[in-house]
């Protein structure tokens, strides 16, 4: 299998804080990879570096065969590399269906221009509603996104990402702050998005049970550096990982 | 469109058309009412639907005022003669000359305003929040100063617009219908545009621009188009407004930031920003109160108007229309369409995200 995303030697510091130190990782097309590490170890920063939100200090990010280090956030998103936010971000005053409609993909510039002053096609709305159903939000579809609970907003954000038909999705703590009874539902949906829609996933996750069951390959960060990498089994038994977590708690 | 809705619109149009005949003594105030509607509607494109507080939209209005007045002057008058008579030329034009000059001026003004919006937009639409607001404020003030110092457009002493040809009938009625049609067009175009993907994109930018970018939306392009759309209608209003007033002063007529520039914001907020009818409603209430106060309580009018604005912003932060909608939504919720609390919110208060504020 070939790597869909390849991050090589990426470094990023904020003033004196080195949030990412020469990080390298790669995710194969169709795979589910995990990114773990104690709080403040640089996981979110790495996402921000990959999607073009932070200019990286050095290193390279290759997605789908293209160097994307110098591209902007929307450009990278249109290549099919999307991210969700740790603190949810939805369009609060718009209802769920509208949140979904505006997330429909507009990759081709010409096509986007033509559709800008047209009504949203019925097919798009249908797809929006079926994905809301998939996310378990169909009953809430006419509520404003801002009125949803935090967990529901996480689900909406996930559905919006699927609506955009990405090749790859970077998920920042999809189960954090969510009622434990719903975590299995989220896991199951992530697995289905991967298996049925063929979306490659890179998931930041704090919940060890979740990530061990989800990912085929796991990277562990500590203090901005790559501490360990391998199968869930290998990472779980790595003494450095254990001490990083114990030391950080 | 349902039959009831169509009938409602037809009734409104009928009232609008009949108004200057029924109330001929209020013709000019009624004409101004439509100007206010256009100002509020066009401010709301960027300020309401897109959530970018602009204090500088008056710039496009002023560009329209000047472009039209200058075209009318240069098209038919010898500039030396005009300067000699210090603007006091008995500029009597034939009806077709007048209309031709006005039309050409309006078109040119609209084009110039769009150009200005595109150029200025490239510079300042990248700014967010207060930075954008302050920058636009400076822009409006600067334009007034520049116009007041430019001899070609009359500098501080302004420009006189051509006399309205008597053959065209009553001047105020002519402008009443121009502004009325412009307001209808503006309302219709915006209504159509907001129902398209473009409208959703503007709302997405308003609600969370970072998210919109992360989802691949071409935010820069949409912001620029919105700003240009606003500029077109403002310039078309401004061009005729100069002629309607009859005299172009750089700060009082054209770049009238402290009056028209502020009012357009107040009207949109008062009625309900981010809605189609809100700015219309706000403009009507504001303008009628203003005329009434000016007539009966001169001297107190500005204070009372200011107070009214403060009260509305304090107690109806979503504007009159927003408040009405909230009430109907509240009733719907009471009737059982309420969001059920199927999920608990996260227990830690730090993980509660701000929903509408865009984060740094
Ligand atoms: N925009 C920023 N400006 C300054 N420092 C930042 C910024 N983003 C992250 N950091 C710092 O980088 C480090 C890593 O943070 P982060 O990537 O959010 O960690 P994680 O997601 O693993 O919890 C922290 O020390 C954090 O304070
Ligand atoms: Mg994080």
């Amino acid at each position: 299998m070939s790597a869909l995303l390849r991050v090589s030697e990426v470094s990023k510091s904020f003033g004196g804080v080195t949030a990412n130190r020469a990080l390298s990782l790669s995710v194969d097309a169709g795979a589910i990879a995990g990114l773990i590490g104690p709080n403040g170890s640089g996981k979110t920063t790495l996402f921000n570096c990959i999607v073009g939100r932070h200019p990286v200090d050095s290193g390279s990010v290759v997605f789908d065969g293209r160097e994307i280090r110098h591209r902007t956030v929307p450009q990278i998103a249109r290549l099919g590399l999307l991210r969700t936010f740790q603190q949810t971000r939805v369009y609060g005053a718009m209802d769920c269906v509208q949140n979904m409609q505006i997330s429909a993909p507009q990759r081709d510039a010409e096509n986007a221009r033509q559709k800008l002053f047209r009504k949203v096609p019925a097919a798009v709305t249908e797809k929006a509603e079926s994905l809301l159903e998939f996310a378990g939000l169909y009953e809430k579809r006419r509520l404003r996104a801002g009125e949803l609970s935090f967990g529901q907003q996480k689900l909406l954000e996930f559905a919006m990402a699927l609506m955009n038909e990405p090749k790859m999705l970077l998920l920042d703590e999809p189960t954090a702050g969510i009622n434990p009874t719903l975590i299995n539902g989220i896991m199951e949906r992530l697995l289905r998005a991967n298996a049925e829609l063929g979306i490659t996933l890179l998931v930041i996750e704090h919940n060890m049970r979740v990530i061990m069951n989800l990912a085929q390959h796991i990277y562990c960060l500590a203090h901005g550096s790559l501490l360990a990498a391998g199968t869930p089994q290998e990472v779980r038994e790595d003494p450095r990982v254990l001490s990083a977590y114990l030391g950080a708690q | 469109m349902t039959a009831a809705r169509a009938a409602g619109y037809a009734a409104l149009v009928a009232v609008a058309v009949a108004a200057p005949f029924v109330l001929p003594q209020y013709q000019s105030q009624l004409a101004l009412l439509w100007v206010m509607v256009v100002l509020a509607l066009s401010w709301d494109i960027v300020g309401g639907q897109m959530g970018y507080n602009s204090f500088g939209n008056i710039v496009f209005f002023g560009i329209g005022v000047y472009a039209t007045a200058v075209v009318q002057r240069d098209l038919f008058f010898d500039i030396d003669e005009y300067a000699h008579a210090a603007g006091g030329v008995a500029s009597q034009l034939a009806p077709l000359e007048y209309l031709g000059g006005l039309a050409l001026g309006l078109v040119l003004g609209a084009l110039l305003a769009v150009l200005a919006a595109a150029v200025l937009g490239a510079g300042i639409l990248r700014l967010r929040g207060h930075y954008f607001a302050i920058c636009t404020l400076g822009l409006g003030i600067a334009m007034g100063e520049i116009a007041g110092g430019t001899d070609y457009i009359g500098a501080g002493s302004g420009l006189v617009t051509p006399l309205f040809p008597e053959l065209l009938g009553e001047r105020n009625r002519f402008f009443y219908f121009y502004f009325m049609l412009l307001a209808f067009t503006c309302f219709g175009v915006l209504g159509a545009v907001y129902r398209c993907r473009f409208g959703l994109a503007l709302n997405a930018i308003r609600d969370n621009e970072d998210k919109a970018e992360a989802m691949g939306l071409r935010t820069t392009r949409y912001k620029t188009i919105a700003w240009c759309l606003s500029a077109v209608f403002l310039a078309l209003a401004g061009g005729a407004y100069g002629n309607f007033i009859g005299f172009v002063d750089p700060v009082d007529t054209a770049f009238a930031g402290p009056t028209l520039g502020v009012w357009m914001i107040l009207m949109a907020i008062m009625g309900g920003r981010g809605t189609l009818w809100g700015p219309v409603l706000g403009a009507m209430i504001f303008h009628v109160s203003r005329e009434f106060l000016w007539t009966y309580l001169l001297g107190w009018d500005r204070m009372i108007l200011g107070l009214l604005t403060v009260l509305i912003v304090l107690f109806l932060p979503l504007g009159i229309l927003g408040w009405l909608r909230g009430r109907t939504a509240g009733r719907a919720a009471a009737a059982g369409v309420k969001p059920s609390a199927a999920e608990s919110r996260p227990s830690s208060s730090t993980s509660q995200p701000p929903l509408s504020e865009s984060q740094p």
Side-chain angles (χ1 to χ4, degrees), chain A residues 136-137 149-153 155 177-179 182, chain B residues 340-345:
Chain A
L137 291 171
S149 74
F150 183 74
Q152 290 166 343
Q153 287 183 14
L155 285 166
I178 288 195
N179 189 324
L182 285 173
Chain B
S340 73
E343 280 174 59
S344 67
R345 292 190 163 252

Side-chain angles (χ1 to χ4, degrees), chain B residues 103-195:
Chain B
L104 189 66
L106 287 168
V107 170
L108 210 73
L111 289 176
L112 267 178
V114 169
L115 192 70
V119 172
L120 293 173
I124 65 173
L125 282 170
R126 276 178 295 132
L127 303 173
R128 299 228 187 140
H130 305 307
Y131 297 101
F132 176 81
I134 290 166
C135 197
T136 55
L137 185 63
L139 210 63
I141 297 170
M143 286 300 280
E145 291 292 323
I146 293 170
T150 308
D151 288 329
Y152 175 65
I153 55 172
S157 47
L159 286 173
V160 178
T161 56
L163 288 180
F164 190 79
E166 281 171 22
L167 283 170
L168 284 177
E170 214 179 322
R171 179 174 173 285
N172 286 345
R173 187 160 295 168
F174 174 86
F175 284 108
Y176 175 88
F177 282 107
Y178 173 83
F179 290 128
M180 183 195 86
L181 282 178
L182 184 63
F184 285 178
T185 311
C186 186
F187 182 87
V189 167
L190 295 187
V193 156
Y194 293 157
R195 278 193 295 273

Side-chain angles (χ1 to χ4, degrees), chain A residues 14 17 19 38-45 54 86:
Chain A
F14 300 102
V17 183
N39 264 329
S41 58
K43 305 179 297 295
T44 299
T45 303
H54 293 328
Q86 185 172 350

Side-chain angles (χ1 to χ4, degrees), chain B residues 123-356:
Chain B
I124 65 173
L125 282 170
R126 276 178 295 132
L127 303 173
R128 299 228 187 140
H130 305 307
Y131 297 101
F132 176 81
I134 290 166
C135 197
T136 55
L137 185 63
L139 210 63
I141 297 170
M143 286 300 280
E145 291 292 323
I146 293 170
T150 308
D151 288 329
Y152 175 65
I153 55 172
S157 47
L159 286 173
V160 178
T161 56
L163 288 180
F164 190 79
E166 281 171 22
L167 283 170
L168 284 177
E170 214 179 322
R171 179 174 173 285
N172 286 345
R173 187 160 295 168
F174 174 86
F175 284 108
Y176 175 88
F177 282 107
Y178 173 83
F179 290 128
M180 183 195 86
L181 282 178
L182 184 63
F184 285 178
T185 311
C186 186
F187 182 87
V189 167
L190 295 187
V193 156
Y194 293 157
R195 278 193 295 273
C196 295
R197 187 180 155 82
F198 180 67
L200 289 176
L202 294 189
N203 294 163
I205 291 171
R206 172 196 66 196
D207 284 359
N208 198 323
E209 191 169 348
D210 283 337
K211 177 66 176 174
E213 285 185 357
M215 294 300 291
L217 291 186
R218 292 168 174 83
T219 50
T220 312
R221 180 184 301 169
Y222 302 155
K223 287 191 283 184
T224 312
I225 295 175
W227 190 239
C228 290
L229 196 61
S230 180
V232 169
F233 288 112
L234 286 167
L236 289 175
Y241 181 77
N243 272 257
F244 176 63
I245 299 295
F247 177 73
V248 177
D249 179 88
V251 184
D252 287 341
T253 326
F255 300 104
T259 50
L260 301 179
V262 172
W263 294 347
M264 61 172 92
I265 305 171
L266 294 184
M267 294 184 295
I269 291 178
M270 201 182 251
R273 64 199 297 191
T275 62
L276 185 59
W277 276 103
V280 178
L281 198 67
M284 302 222 162
I285 292 173
F286 184 88
H287 185 67
V288 170
S289 328
R290 206 176 65 82
E291 289 293 336
F292 178 83
L293 291 171
W294 194 80
T295 312
Y296 297 104
L297 290 164
L298 189 62
W300 292 85
D301 57 329
R302 294 210 167 185
M303 209 196 80
I304 296 175
L305 213 53
L307 206 64
L308 183 69
T309 311
V310 170
L311 288 177
I312 289 188
V313 171
L314 268 183
F315 293 106
L316 311 175
L318 296 177
I320 295 165
L321 205 68
W323 173 69
L324 288 174
R325 286 201 179 151
R327 278 170 56 102
T328 41
R331 272 202 297 275
V337 207
K338 217 176 158 185
S340 73
E343 280 174 59
S344 67
R345 292 190 163 252
S347 48
S348 119
S349 60
T350 50
S351 56
Q352 190 57 47
L355 296 176
S356 49

